[in-house]
Amino acid sequence: MKAFAIIFVILILAGATALLFRTTSLPSTSENEAGFDTVAPEEILSDSFIHPRLRGLDTWKRPEGPWRVALQVGHWKASEAPDELENLRVSTGTSYRGTTEWELSLAIAEKTKDILETAGVSVEILPTTIPPNYFADVFVSIHADGNLNPSVSGYKVAAPRRDHTGQAEAFATLLSTEYQKATRLRLDTNITRTMRGYYAFNWRKYDHSLHPMTVAAIVETGFLTNASDRRVIVNTPEKPANGIASGILKYLGLSPTVTERIETDSLP
C-alpha cells in the first residue's frame, strides 16, 4: 500500500512538471490575436528552424531605383482586410466629435508624401491591408490615440519587437526626435507589447506584412481625446507631417535644406 502511494505521488509530480514545461515553452493563447507578434512553436523548439521568408536573404539585394517609402494610414479601409486579418475588420480606430483616426492619419500621410516627393523620394500611401511581402526602404504606420481620460496626452514611436534589419530602433529614435521638434508634443513612454508587435511587422505569421528587410516604425501622433494634442494634429496636420518627413529624410541622408525648412516651419 505504501509503495502504491509513492508511485501515485511520483506520477502526479511528473504530470505537473510536464504541464509547467508546456506552459513556459509555448506562446499563450492570448498572444494569438491578429496584430500580435507571435512565433510559431517550431521556431521555439528547433534551433535549426529557418523561416521561409528568411531563406535567401544572405544574398538579397535592394531593388534598383529611388528611395522608396511607404506611409500606412491606420484603420483606413479596415473592412477590406483579408481573411488572415479578419479581426482588424471591426477596428475603426479612435474618434472625437466627428474626426476619425483614419481621416486624420490620411491627412498627415498626404502632407508627408508631398514633402518627401519634393526631395525625390518615391512614396506610396497604404491602407490597413499590406501587400504580401511588401518591401520599402522605410515604412511608417500613422495612427492617433484615444483615452477616456482627456488629460492623457503625447505621441509615441515604436520599432518592431523583432527586427531583422537591425536598424529599426535607430530609425524610431530619430523619428521620435524629429517629431517632437516639429510638434512640440510631449513623449508618451507607454509603449505596449502589442504596439511593437504590430501585425504589419509580423512577417513570421502573416502573408500581408512587410518584407524582413524593410525598416519600419509605428507612430501614434497624439491623442484625439486631448485638447492640446488636437490643436496640433487636427488643426495643423502639417506639423506632424513635417516631423515624420524630417525623420525619414534624415535617416535616408537626404535633403538637409528641406529638413532645415521643416524645422523652421514647425516653430510656433
Side-chain angles (χ1 to χ4, degrees), residues 11-260:
L11 289 174
I12 291 178
L13 290 175
T17 301
L19 179 61
L20 177 62
F21 177 81
R22 178 177 175 84
T23 302
T24 56
S25 298
L26 299 178
S28 65
T29 55
S30 65
E31 295 184 0
N32 292 331
E33 301 170 4
F36 201 95
D37 189 1
T38 58
V39 179
E42 61 265 29
E43 293 186 57
I44 298 174
L45 301 178
S46 174
D47 293 336
S48 62
F49 178 82
I50 299 177
H51 193 282
R53 289 266 190 101
L54 294 180
R55 292 169 187 163
L57 282 188
D58 53 339
T59 58
W60 180 86
K61 293 183 180 180
R62 178 195 176 276
E64 294 183 2
W67 292 114
R68 182 178 178 184
V69 170
L71 304 172
Q72 187 199 34
V73 177
H75 306 283
W76 184 33
K77 300 182 180 180
S79 62
E80 301 175 10
D83 289 344
E84 67 171 352
L85 296 170
E86 62 180 344
N87 289 1
L88 300 180
R89 294 172 186 166
V90 298
S91 180
T92 58
T94 191
S95 63
Y96 183 82
R97 294 185 178 179
T99 300
T100 63
E101 178 178 348
W102 75 261
E103 290 173 319
L104 168 64
S105 299
L106 180 58
I108 293 172
E110 288 175 338
K111 291 181 180 298
T112 304
K113 179 181 179 181
D114 290 342
I115 298 170
L116 294 175
E117 288 184 336
T118 299
V121 177
S122 176
V123 182
E124 184 173 10
I125 295 179
L126 300 175
T128 294
T129 302
I130 305 296
N133 204 27
Y134 183 88
F135 172 78
D137 294 292
V138 174
F139 170 92
V140 177
S141 186
I142 302 173
H143 295 254
D145 257 328
N147 197 291
L148 293 177
N149 181 353
S151 68
V152 177
S153 66
Y155 75 93
K156 294 191 279 284
V157 179
R161 187 163 57 90
R162 295 184 179 92
D163 168 40
H164 192 72
T165 72
Q167 301 179 51
E169 286 289 354
F171 169 61
T173 298
L174 179 58
L175 185 60
S176 177
T177 299
E178 295 304 307
Y179 191 85
Q180 190 169 55
K181 286 181 184 178
T183 63
R184 301 296 193 265
L185 292 177
R186 63 176 289 274
L187 174 65
D188 179 2
T189 58
N190 184 31
I191 304 295
T192 64
R193 181 180 173 88
T194 304
M195 188 176 177
R196 288 173 57 83
Y198 187 58
Y199 72 93
F201 305 155
N202 195 355
W203 47 264
R204 295 166 183 81
K205 184 175 181 182
Y206 302 115
D207 291 330
H208 291 80
S209 58
L210 298 174
H211 186 280
M213 293 307 294
T214 294
V215 177
I218 181 172
V219 179
E220 294 283 358
T221 56
F223 281 80
L224 268 176
T225 48
N226 178 269
S228 295
D229 286 9
R230 283 197 306 274
R231 281 194 288 271
V232 176
I233 62 177
V234 177
N235 297 350
T236 57
E238 66 274 9
K239 289 184 178 180
N242 286 342
I244 294 170
S246 180
I248 293 172
L249 289 172
K250 285 194 171 182
Y251 173 75
L252 296 175
L254 294 177
S255 193
T257 56
V258 173
T259 303
E260 289 168 7

